[in-house]
Amino acid sequence: MKDNTNNKEFWNNYVPYWEKKVGDANQNDKAPDKTPDDLMLEELFNAMNVSWNDKVLDYGCGFCRLYPIYQKNIAGGGIDKNLYCGLDISEVMLEHAELKHHDLKIGKNLFEFDGLHVPFDDSSFDQIICFGVFDAVRQENVLGELLRVLKAGGKLLLSGKNDTYFSDDKDAYIAEVNARKKGHPNFFTDVHRLRNELLLRNVSFEEERYYLYRKEFAINKYDKTIPETFYQWVWVMKKNEEIYNFEFPRFSDTFSKIVLKE
């Protein structure tokens, strides 16, 4: 399968590192360079108010970290695994997910794709989760695709990195430099511009969280109103009506404005 992001090989080799990092975060509050744990992901998932009969897309699902949270928190008509769909660029990730969750199957619930074009029809999903993934994709293309396959009235959980963080946020700077050395894909968002573009398309914001410094993301310390300068952001958005313009002006770059100033 063609890899339009040129990162398929990177993600195929990412499985052991990412599974260990998530495991460390869940087991140790003081893990080095801690990533958000599953309790935080569960809190954000619950903020979406997913119904038992909603069709859910887990975009960039990896080894389907979200799936146990989905199973645990959906009540009402019972769990229909066919309403959960995982999408990832890495066949190795999907094979690992299939082994980890025996009721998920590649080609049925789990799908490999090219990293850009979501292989589903318009308005296919009630809810979409894109957590910890948006900063590793070509954002203008991917956001248009996510909004295309989301139903009117549906919600999208999205997280990413702002392009302007504090100059004294050494953790953020070191992470950006090290990611580039490792060949890790990295995209930073002009969040103020993106937010305005979404409002123009009648997308509303159900939940907004802004983490001023990199270390605050892992401990879930955030502001609810958008500041001028910050590092990480999480939104729960609602697509209030059909959207016919999925073309976005450029709002992302592979470098933060901090590094570009150097």
Side-chain angles (χ1 to χ4, degrees), residues 27 47 91 113-114 125 160 168 170 203 205 223 231 249:
Q27 296 166 21
E91 70 273 17
F113 78 127
D114 65 7
F125 294 94
D168 65 346
K170 303 304 181 185
V203 172
F205 293 81
D223 289 359
Y231 180 69

Side-chain angles (χ1 to χ4, degrees), residues 32 52 96 159 191:
W52 67 270
H96 191 61
S159 71
V191 178

Side-chain angles (χ1 to χ4, degrees), residues 1-14 88-94 111-115 185:
M1 179 179 290
K2 183 179 180 182
D3 174 16
N4 287 322
T5 62
N6 300 314
N7 289 316
K8 188 180 290 289
E9 183 177 356
F10 179 91
W11 295 117
N12 282 341
N13 294 319
Y14 198 69
D88 204 273
I89 192 174
S90 168
E91 70 273 17
V92 177
M93 283 279 195
L94 294 176
F111 300 90
E112 182 188 356
F113 78 127
D114 65 7

Side-chain angles (χ1 to χ4, degrees), residues 73-201:
N73 290 280
I74 299 300
I79 295 296
D80 181 352
K81 62 181 178 295
N82 295 315
L83 293 176
Y84 171 90
C85 176
L87 191 65
D88 204 273
I89 192 174
S90 168
E91 70 273 17
V92 177
M93 283 279 195
L94 294 176
E95 288 166 0
H96 191 61
E98 189 177 50
L99 288 172
K100 200 175 182 74
H101 309 288
H102 300 298
D103 52 345
L104 297 179
K105 302 298 179 186
I106 293 174
K108 186 175 182 181
N109 318 93
L110 306 175
F111 300 90
E112 182 188 356
F113 78 127
D114 65 7
L116 284 178
H117 306 100
V118 178
F120 299 103
D121 293 335
D122 296 358
S123 303
S124 292
F125 294 94
D126 300 283
Q127 312 271 7
I128 299 176
I129 291 90
C130 179
F131 182 75
V133 178
F134 197 55
D135 54 305
V137 302
R138 296 179 182 177
Q139 297 186 355
E140 291 81 4
N141 302 85
V142 167
L143 182 58
E145 280 288 274
L146 293 177
L147 290 172
R148 178 184 65 79
V149 300
L150 182 65
K151 294 179 181 178
K155 293 179 184 176
L156 167 62
L157 170 64
L158 194 67
S159 71
K161 299 171 185 172
N162 189 33
D163 68 353
T164 306
Y165 54 80
F166 290 102
S167 58
D168 65 346
D169 192 348
K170 303 304 181 185
D171 293 330
Y173 180 82
I174 291 169
E176 180 175 357
V177 171
N178 287 344
R180 190 161 289 108
K181 288 178 180 177
K182 296 175 184 177
H184 191 298
N186 225 359
F187 290 87
F188 294 83
T189 310
D190 183 338
V191 178
H192 291 86
R193 182 174 189 182
L194 174 55
R195 192 176 184 280
N196 288 336
E197 288 291 334
L198 289 165
L199 289 170
L200 289 173
R201 290 164 173 79

Side-chain angles (χ1 to χ4, degrees), residues 198-215:
L198 289 165
L199 289 170
L200 289 173
R201 290 164 173 79
N202 199 20
V203 172
S204 60
F205 293 81
E206 306 285 300
E207 179 91 11
E208 298 179 66
R209 299 186 179 189
Y210 301 98
Y211 304 82
L212 300 186
Y213 284 82
R214 187 175 189 270
K215 63 184 180 182

